[in-house]
Amino acid sequence: MIDVKPSFQKFVSVKLSLKYFLLGIILLVIVVGLSVKILYFTHSTSAVPNKPGSSTNMALNNKGSESVDQLSPSITSTGPIKVVYELPVNQPVVYITIDDGWYPNQEVLKLMQQYHLPITTYLVEQAAQKHPDYWHEFVNDGGRIEDHTFNHPFLTHLSLADQINQISQPIDYFRQYGPPPDELRPPYGDFNSVVGQAAKDSMIKYIVMWDAEIKNSKLSTRSGLGLKSGDIILLHWEPGLDQELLKLLSIIQKQNLGIADLSQALNGEPLTICWLKTPIPVSEPTSTITTKTRVAGTSGKTVTSVDTGTSRSK
Ligand SMILES: [Zn+2]
């Protein structure tokens, strides 16, 4: 009797320990499982990369380094605003976009007329103000004007109020060319969640980035491969743009791709697609070298961050 009782107590105690141990394990599994789920959810839905806006060429670095996978399918829709880098649709098309606007080019208008090219330009208001007639012609030739801020600052360096000024003032200014812009291309591809909020507060519907660029006659893509359907291609209003554009058209034609209107695609409207039927007169062999490089905004002419509330100096 004397021996039995302690061993029974011991048995009960061991049983209880085992019970608590198992309970502990179950709780641990639940906690770990929840943590993993929360981490995954947070990562996969962070639409606006939160990156310090300290350098140029950050656009593709943003996505290249941490978010390439989550950019497919193309529009990330959580966070303050939708961000688009590429936009595959049910047709093999790409989108041509041209930034800044410091160097208007008559030859580009001729190419737009000749090929009926749908082109979206993200204009800096300060640049656009210098050649208002040109931009009316651009719109008459099928171009679309969207927002690239007042004077091309690093938006992440500004206060929310100044960001809103930078984004919303061009929206008012560009009303003379048609419906007010509802797309923003942040200068240098520099944005974070605050910029997303500023854009949203300014009635912007999309932050439009890019995943391919033509520069110095070379095509660069984020994937390092050739041009593919859905690519948003970046060019700049720089001297020689017409030749760059011809080279791009030649590449597009060789890939049997069409050119679609980005705004139509974004808004789910029926697409007006330009198919290049006639040979493109490129003066020299087309460079189709693709390099896996940053494909980012590099040619902004105005780099100063200014207080947009008071200063308008370049
Ligand atoms: Zn720019």
Side-chain angles (χ1 to χ4, degrees):
M1 288 293 282
I2 295 164
D3 288 335
V4 170
K5 200 173 176 184
S7 65
F8 176 72
Q9 284 175 336
K10 196 176 171 186
F11 172 72
V12 170
S13 150
V14 167
K15 200 177 167 185
L16 275 175
S17 305
L18 196 65
K19 193 176 169 187
Y20 286 124
F21 177 73
L22 284 174
L23 259 174
I25 293 286
I26 290 168
L27 277 172
L28 190 68
V29 167
I30 290 171
V31 168
V32 168
L34 276 174
S35 305
V36 167
K37 197 171 177 185
I38 286 167
L39 274 176
Y40 174 77
F41 182 78
T42 307
H43 178 72
S44 64
T45 57
S46 54
V48 183
N50 216 342
K51 191 159 175 136
S54 56
S55 64
T56 55
N57 313 327
M58 50 197 323
L60 264 286
N61 292 341
N62 275 357
K63 56 194 300 229
S65 62
E66 58 187 350
S67 54
V68 170
D69 290 338
Q70 73 199 54
L71 295 170
S72 187
S74 68
I75 298 184
T76 50
S77 58
T78 52
I81 198 165
K82 292 175 182 172
V83 181
V84 57
Y85 291 81
E86 57 186 312
L87 191 58
V89 289
N90 58 2
Q91 299 255 37
V93 296
V94 293
Y95 312 93
I96 299 177
T97 69
I98 310 177
D99 279 12
D100 296 347
W102 298 103
Y103 298 96
N105 183 319
Q106 290 297 332
E107 296 303 312
V108 170
L109 297 185
K110 288 180 190 167
L111 290 174
M112 289 172 71
Q113 292 161 8
Q114 184 178 353
Y115 296 105
H116 305 287
L117 300 176
I119 292 180
T120 298
T121 185
Y122 295 89
L123 284 186
V124 175
E125 181 187 335
Q126 209 172 48
Q129 284 177 355
K130 295 184 183 301
H131 307 278
D133 293 344
Y134 180 87
W135 301 113
H136 279 291
E137 286 180 48
F138 173 83
V139 171
N140 288 339
D141 291 335
R144 196 183 289 267
I145 293 176
E146 295 289 346
D147 194 344
H148 198 41
T149 72
F150 177 77
N151 67 354
H152 212 275
F154 285 96
L155 285 172
T156 61
H157 293 188
L158 305 181
S159 69
L160 177 64
D162 286 346
Q163 290 181 27
I164 291 173
N165 279 339
Q166 278 282 347
I167 296 166
S168 60
Q169 183 165 319
I171 293 177
D172 284 338
Y173 178 76
F174 290 133
R175 282 176 199 274
Q176 64 183 296
Y177 298 103
D182 60 7
E183 299 165 26
L184 170 70
R185 175 161 285 161
Y188 316 103
D190 170 39
F191 70 95
N192 58 18
S193 57
V194 180
V195 174
Q197 191 60 52
K200 192 180 180 188
D201 290 350
S202 307
M203 306 303 286
I204 291 290
K205 282 165 65 182
Y206 300 97
I207 286 181
V208 179
M209 302 289 280
W210 62 96
D211 69 344
E213 179 176 15
I214 292 277
K215 196 167 182 65
N216 300 325
S217 305
K218 284 184 184 173
L219 171 71
S220 302
T221 64
R222 180 165 57 91
S223 65
L225 305 173
L227 212 53
K228 68 177 190 314
S229 181
D231 281 345
I232 297 173
I233 307 158
L234 170 68
L235 297 100
H236 286 88
W237 293 98
E238 290 178 332
L241 172 63
D242 52 311
Q243 292 304 311
E244 300 280 83
L245 187 55
L246 277 171
K247 289 188 171 75
L248 173 60
L249 296 182
S250 170
I251 295 170
I252 290 172
Q253 189 176 48
K254 281 177 184 162
Q255 298 279 116
N256 295 315
L257 294 163
I259 303 155
D261 182 307
L262 179 57
S263 297
Q264 285 179 343
L266 280 170
N267 294 310
E269 297 167 6
L271 291 181
T272 311
I273 300 176
C274 162
W275 299 103
L276 300 163
K277 306 283 188 195
T278 54
I280 307 295
V282 181
S283 55
E284 55 191 85
T286 302
S287 169
T288 54
I289 299 167
T290 62
T291 50
K292 190 169 186 174
T293 60
R294 53 179 173 65
V295 183
T298 54
S299 71
K301 302 300 170 190
T302 307
V303 188
T304 47
S305 298
V306 299
D307 178 349
T308 58
T310 54
S311 168
R312 295 296 179 199
S313 61
K314 191 167 152 187

Coordinates of all heavy atoms in Angstrom, one line a residue, residues 248-310:
L248 N 12.3 50.7 -81.9 CA 11.4 50.0 -81.1 C 10.3 49.4 -82.0 O 9.9 48.2 -81.8 CB 10.7 50.9 -80.1 CG 9.6 50.3 -79.2 CD1 10.1 49.1 -78.5 CD2 9.0 51.3 -78.3
L249 N 9.8 50.1 -82.9 CA 8.7 49.6 -83.8 C 9.2 48.4 -84.6 O 8.4 47.4 -84.8 CB 8.2 50.7 -84.8 CG 7.5 51.9 -84.1 CD1 7.1 52.9 -85.2 CD2 6.4 51.5 -83.2
S250 N 10.4 48.5 -85.0 CA 11.0 47.3 -85.7 C 11.1 46.1 -84.8 O 10.7 45.0 -85.3 CB 12.4 47.7 -86.2 OG 13.1 46.6 -86.7
I251 N 11.4 46.3 -83.6 CA 11.5 45.1 -82.7 C 10.1 44.6 -82.4 O 9.8 43.4 -82.4 CB 12.1 45.5 -81.3 CG1 13.6 45.9 -81.5 CG2 12.0 44.4 -80.3 CD1 14.2 46.6 -80.3
I252 N 9.2 45.5 -82.2 CA 7.8 45.1 -82.0 C 7.2 44.3 -83.2 O 6.6 43.2 -83.0 CB 6.9 46.3 -81.7 CG1 7.2 46.9 -80.4 CG2 5.4 46.0 -81.8 CD1 6.6 48.3 -80.1
Q253 N 7.5 44.8 -84.4 CA 7.1 44.1 -85.6 C 7.7 42.7 -85.7 O 7.0 41.7 -86.0 CB 7.4 44.9 -86.8 CG 6.8 44.4 -88.1 CD 7.1 45.3 -89.3 OE1 8.3 45.7 -89.4 NE2 6.1 45.7 -90.0
K254 N 9.0 42.6 -85.4 CA 9.6 41.3 -85.5 C 9.1 40.3 -84.5 O 9.1 39.1 -84.7 CB 11.1 41.4 -85.3 CG 11.9 41.9 -86.5 CD 13.3 42.1 -86.2 CE 14.0 42.7 -87.5 NZ 15.3 43.4 -87.2
Q255 N 8.6 40.8 -83.4 CA 8.0 39.9 -82.4 C 6.5 39.6 -82.6 O 5.9 39.0 -81.8 CB 8.2 40.6 -81.0 CG 9.6 40.8 -80.6 CD 10.2 39.6 -80.0 OE1 11.2 39.1 -80.5 NE2 9.7 39.0 -78.9
N256 N 6.0 40.1 -83.8 CA 4.6 39.9 -84.1 C 3.7 40.4 -83.0 O 2.7 39.8 -82.7 CB 4.3 38.5 -84.4 CG 5.0 38.0 -85.6 OD1 5.0 38.7 -86.6 ND2 5.6 36.8 -85.5
L257 N 4.1 41.5 -82.4 CA 3.3 42.1 -81.4 C 2.5 43.4 -81.9 O 3.0 43.9 -82.9 CB 4.1 42.6 -80.2 CG 4.8 41.5 -79.4 CD1 6.0 42.1 -78.6 CD2 3.8 40.8 -78.5
G258 N 1.4 43.7 -81.3 CA 0.7 44.9 -81.7 C 1.0 46.0 -80.6 O 1.6 45.7 -79.6
I259 N 0.5 47.2 -80.8 CA 0.6 48.2 -79.8 C -0.8 48.7 -79.4 O -1.6 49.0 -80.3 CB 1.4 49.4 -80.4 CG1 2.8 49.0 -81.0 CG2 1.6 50.5 -79.4 CD1 3.3 49.8 -82.1
A260 N -1.0 48.6 -78.1 CA -2.3 49.0 -77.6 C -2.3 50.3 -76.8 O -1.2 50.7 -76.3 CB -2.9 47.8 -76.8
D261 N -3.4 50.8 -76.6 CA -3.6 52.0 -75.7 C -3.6 51.6 -74.3 O -4.5 50.9 -73.8 CB -4.9 52.7 -76.1 CG -5.1 54.0 -75.4 OD1 -5.0 54.0 -74.1 OD2 -5.3 55.1 -76.0
L262 N -2.6 52.0 -73.5 CA -2.5 51.6 -72.1 C -3.7 52.0 -71.3 O -4.2 51.2 -70.5 CB -1.2 52.2 -71.5 CG -0.9 51.8 -70.1 CD1 -0.9 50.3 -69.9 CD2 0.4 52.5 -69.6
S263 N -4.2 53.2 -71.5 CA -5.3 53.6 -70.7 C -6.6 52.8 -70.9 O -7.3 52.4 -70.0 CB -5.6 55.1 -70.9 OG -4.5 55.9 -70.5
Q264 N -6.8 52.4 -72.2 CA -7.9 51.6 -72.5 C -7.8 50.2 -71.8 O -8.7 49.7 -71.3 CB -8.0 51.3 -74.1 CG -8.5 52.5 -74.8 CD -8.5 52.2 -76.3 OE1 -7.9 51.3 -76.8 NE2 -9.3 53.0 -77.1
A265 N -6.6 49.7 -71.9 CA -6.3 48.4 -71.2 C -6.5 48.5 -69.7 O -7.1 47.6 -69.1 CB -4.9 47.9 -71.6
L266 N -6.0 49.5 -69.1 CA -6.2 49.7 -67.7 C -7.6 49.8 -67.3 O -8.0 49.3 -66.2 CB -5.4 51.0 -67.2 CG -3.9 50.9 -67.0 CD1 -3.3 52.3 -66.8 CD2 -3.6 50.0 -65.9
N267 N -8.4 50.4 -68.1 CA -9.8 50.7 -67.7 C -10.7 49.6 -68.3 O -12.0 49.7 -68.2 CB -10.2 52.1 -68.2 CG -9.5 53.1 -67.4 OD1 -9.4 53.1 -66.2 ND2 -8.9 54.1 -68.1
G268 N -10.1 48.5 -68.9 CA -11.0 47.4 -69.4 C -11.8 47.8 -70.6 O -12.9 47.2 -70.8
E269 N -11.4 48.8 -71.3 CA -12.2 49.2 -72.5 C -11.8 48.4 -73.7 O -10.7 47.8 -73.7 CB -11.9 50.7 -72.8 CG -12.4 51.6 -71.6 CD -11.8 53.1 -71.8 OE1 -11.2 53.4 -72.8 OE2 -12.0 53.9 -70.9
P270 N -12.6 48.4 -74.7 CA -12.2 47.7 -76.0 C -10.9 48.3 -76.5 O -10.8 49.5 -76.5 CB -13.4 48.0 -76.9 CG -14.5 48.3 -76.0 CD -14.0 48.9 -74.8
L271 N -10.0 47.5 -76.9 CA -8.7 48.0 -77.3 C -8.6 48.4 -78.8 O -9.0 47.7 -79.6 CB -7.6 46.9 -77.0 CG -7.3 46.5 -75.6 CD1 -6.2 45.5 -75.5 CD2 -6.9 47.8 -74.8
T272 N -8.0 49.6 -79.0 CA -7.7 50.0 -80.3 C -6.2 49.5 -80.5 O -5.3 50.1 -79.9 CB -7.7 51.5 -80.5 OG1 -9.0 51.9 -80.0 CG2 -7.5 51.9 -81.9
I273 N -6.0 48.5 -81.4 CA -4.7 48.0 -81.5 C -4.0 48.4 -82.8 O -4.7 48.3 -83.9 CB -4.7 46.4 -81.4 CG1 -5.2 46.0 -80.0 CG2 -3.3 45.9 -81.5 CD1 -5.4 44.6 -79.8
C274 N -2.8 48.8 -82.7 CA -2.0 49.1 -83.9 C -1.2 47.9 -84.3 O -0.3 47.5 -83.5 CB -1.2 50.4 -83.6 SG 0.2 50.6 -84.8
W275 N -1.4 47.4 -85.5 CA -0.6 46.3 -86.0 C 0.3 46.9 -87.1 O -0.2 47.5 -88.0 CB -1.5 45.1 -86.6 CG -2.4 44.5 -85.6 CD1 -3.7 44.8 -85.4 CD2 -2.0 43.6 -84.5 NE1 -4.2 44.0 -84.4 CE2 -3.2 43.3 -83.8 CE3 -0.8 43.0 -84.1 CZ2 -3.2 42.5 -82.7 CZ3 -0.9 42.1 -83.1 CH2 -2.0 41.9 -82.4
L276 N 1.6 46.7 -87.0 CA 2.5 47.2 -87.9 C 2.6 46.3 -89.2 O 3.2 45.3 -89.1 CB 3.9 47.4 -87.3 CG 3.9 48.3 -86.0 CD1 5.1 48.1 -85.2 CD2 3.7 49.8 -86.4
K277 N 2.0 46.8 -90.3 CA 2.0 45.9 -91.5 C 3.2 46.2 -92.4 O 3.8 45.3 -92.9 CB 0.7 46.2 -92.2 CG -0.6 46.1 -91.4 CD -0.9 44.6 -91.2 CE -2.3 44.5 -90.5 NZ -2.5 43.1 -90.0
T278 N 3.5 47.5 -92.5 CA 4.5 47.8 -93.5 C 5.9 47.8 -92.9 O 6.1 47.9 -91.6 CB 4.3 49.3 -94.1 OG1 4.2 50.2 -92.9 CG2 3.0 49.3 -94.8
P279 N 6.9 47.5 -93.7 CA 8.3 47.4 -93.1 C 8.7 48.7 -92.4 O 8.4 49.8 -92.9 CB 9.2 47.2 -94.3 CG 8.2 46.6 -95.4 CD 6.9 47.2 -95.1
I280 N 9.4 48.6 -91.3 CA 9.8 49.8 -90.6 C 11.2 50.2 -91.1 O 12.1 49.4 -91.1 CB 9.9 49.5 -89.1 CG1 8.6 48.9 -88.6 CG2 10.3 50.8 -88.3 CD1 7.4 49.8 -88.6
P281 N 11.3 51.5 -91.6 CA 12.6 51.9 -92.1 C 13.6 52.3 -91.1 O 13.7 53.4 -90.6 CB 12.2 53.2 -92.9 CG 11.0 53.7 -92.2 CD 10.3 52.5 -91.6
V282 N 14.3 51.3 -90.6 CA 15.3 51.6 -89.6 C 16.7 51.8 -90.3 O 17.1 51.0 -91.2 CB 15.4 50.4 -88.6 CG1 16.5 50.7 -87.5 CG2 14.1 50.2 -87.9
S283 N 17.4 52.8 -90.0 CA 18.6 53.2 -90.7 C 19.7 52.3 -90.5 O 20.6 52.2 -91.3 CB 18.9 54.7 -90.4 OG 19.1 54.7 -89.0
E284 N 19.8 51.6 -89.4 CA 20.9 50.7 -89.1 C 20.3 49.4 -88.5 O 19.2 49.4 -88.1 CB 21.9 51.3 -88.1 CG 21.2 51.8 -86.9 CD 22.2 52.6 -86.0 OE1 22.2 53.9 -86.2 OE2 22.8 52.1 -85.1
P285 N 21.1 48.4 -88.5 CA 20.6 47.1 -88.0 C 20.0 47.3 -86.6 O 20.6 48.0 -85.7 CB 21.8 46.2 -87.9 CG 22.8 46.8 -88.9 CD 22.5 48.3 -88.9
T286 N 18.9 46.8 -86.4 CA 18.2 47.0 -85.1 C 18.9 46.2 -84.0 O 19.2 45.0 -84.2 CB 16.7 46.5 -85.2 OG1 16.1 47.2 -86.3 CG2 16.0 46.7 -83.9
S287 N 19.2 46.9 -83.0 CA 19.8 46.2 -81.8 C 18.7 45.5 -81.0 O 17.7 46.2 -80.6 CB 20.5 47.2 -81.0 OG 20.9 46.6 -79.8
T288 N 18.8 44.3 -80.9 CA 17.8 43.6 -80.1 C 18.5 43.0 -78.8 O 18.0 42.1 -78.2 CB 17.1 42.4 -80.8 OG1 18.1 41.6 -81.4 CG2 16.2 43.0 -81.9
I289 N 19.7 43.5 -78.6 CA 20.4 43.1 -77.4 C 19.5 43.3 -76.2 O 19.1 44.5 -75.9 CB 21.7 43.8 -77.2 CG1 22.6 43.6 -78.5 CG2 22.4 43.4 -76.0 CD1 23.8 44.5 -78.6
T290 N 19.3 42.3 -75.4 CA 18.6 42.5 -74.2 C 19.5 42.3 -73.0 O 20.2 41.3 -73.0 CB 17.4 41.6 -74.1 OG1 17.8 40.2 -74.1 CG2 16.4 41.8 -75.3
T291 N 19.5 43.1 -72.1 CA 20.3 43.0 -71.0 C 19.4 43.0 -69.7 O 18.5 43.8 -69.7 CB 21.4 44.1 -70.9 OG1 20.7 45.3 -71.1 CG2 22.4 43.9 -72.0
K292 N 19.8 42.2 -68.8 CA 19.1 42.3 -67.5 C 19.6 43.4 -66.7 O 20.5 43.2 -65.9 CB 19.2 40.9 -66.8 CG 18.2 40.8 -65.7 CD 18.2 39.4 -65.2 CE 17.2 39.2 -64.1 NZ 17.0 37.9 -63.7
T293 N 19.1 44.5 -66.9 CA 19.6 45.7 -66.2 C 18.4 46.3 -65.5 O 17.2 46.0 -65.7 CB 20.2 46.7 -67.1 OG1 19.2 47.1 -68.0 CG2 21.4 46.1 -67.8
R294 N 18.7 47.3 -64.7 CA 17.7 48.2 -64.2 C 17.0 48.8 -65.4 O 17.6 49.1 -66.4 CB 18.3 49.2 -63.3 CG 19.4 49.9 -64.0 CD 20.1 51.0 -63.2 NE 21.2 51.6 -63.8 CZ 21.2 52.3 -64.9 NH1 20.1 52.5 -65.6 NH2 22.3 52.8 -65.4
V295 N 15.7 48.9 -65.3 CA 15.0 49.6 -66.4 C 14.3 50.7 -65.6 O 13.2 50.5 -65.2 CB 14.0 48.7 -67.1 CG1 13.3 49.4 -68.2 CG2 14.8 47.5 -67.6
A296 N 15.0 51.8 -65.5 CA 14.4 52.8 -64.6 C 14.5 54.2 -65.2 O 15.2 54.4 -66.1 CB 15.2 52.7 -63.3
G297 N 13.8 55.1 -64.5 CA 13.8 56.5 -65.0 C 15.2 57.1 -64.8 O 15.7 57.0 -63.7
T298 N 15.8 57.6 -65.8 CA 17.2 58.1 -65.6 C 17.3 59.5 -66.2 O 18.4 60.1 -66.0 CB 18.1 57.2 -66.3 OG1 17.7 57.0 -67.7 CG2 18.2 55.8 -65.7
S299 N 16.4 59.9 -67.0 CA 16.7 61.1 -67.7 C 15.9 62.4 -67.3 O 15.8 63.2 -68.1 CB 16.5 60.9 -69.2 OG 15.1 60.8 -69.4
G300 N 15.5 62.4 -66.1 CA 14.8 63.6 -65.7 C 15.7 64.8 -65.7 O 16.9 64.7 -65.4
K301 N 15.2 65.9 -66.2 CA 16.0 67.1 -66.3 C 16.0 67.9 -65.0 O 16.9 68.6 -64.7 CB 15.6 67.9 -67.5 CG 15.5 67.2 -68.8 CD 16.9 66.7 -69.2 CE 16.9 65.8 -70.3 NZ 18.1 65.1 -70.6
T302 N 15.0 67.7 -64.3 CA 14.9 68.5 -63.1 C 14.9 67.6 -61.9 O 14.1 66.8 -61.7 CB 13.5 69.2 -63.1 OG1 13.4 69.9 -64.3 CG2 13.4 70.2 -61.9
V303 N 15.9 67.7 -61.1 CA 16.2 66.7 -60.1 C 15.9 67.4 -58.7 O 15.9 66.7 -57.7 CB 17.6 66.2 -60.2 CG1 17.8 65.0 -59.2 CG2 17.9 65.7 -61.6
T304 N 15.7 68.7 -58.7 CA 15.6 69.3 -57.4 C 14.3 69.0 -56.7 O 13.3 68.9 -57.4 CB 15.7 70.9 -57.6 OG1 14.8 71.2 -58.7 CG2 17.1 71.3 -57.9
S305 N 14.4 68.8 -55.5 CA 13.2 68.7 -54.7 C 12.8 70.1 -54.2 O 13.6 70.7 -53.5 CB 13.4 67.8 -53.5 OG 13.7 66.5 -54.0
V306 N 11.7 70.6 -54.6 CA 11.4 71.9 -54.1 C 10.1 71.9 -53.3 O 9.3 71.0 -53.3 CB 11.1 72.9 -55.3 CG1 12.4 73.0 -56.1 CG2 10.0 72.4 -56.2
D307 N 9.9 72.9 -52.5 CA 8.7 73.1 -51.8 C 7.6 73.6 -52.9 O 7.7 74.7 -53.3 CB 8.9 74.1 -50.7 CG 7.5 74.4 -50.0 OD1 6.5 73.9 -50.5 OD2 7.6 75.0 -49.0
T308 N 6.8 72.6 -53.2 CA 5.9 73.0 -54.4 C 4.8 74.0 -53.9 O 4.1 74.5 -54.8 CB 5.2 71.7 -54.9 OG1 4.5 71.1 -53.8 CG2 6.2 70.7 -55.4
G309 N 4.7 74.2 -52.6 CA 3.7 75.1 -52.2 C 4.1 76.6 -52.5 O 3.3 77.4 -52.8
T310 N 5.4 76.8 -52.6 CA 5.8 78.2 -52.8 C 6.7 78.4 -54.0 O 6.6 79.3 -54.7 CB 6.5 78.7 -51.5 OG1 7.6 77.7 -51.3 CG2 5.6 78.7 -50.3

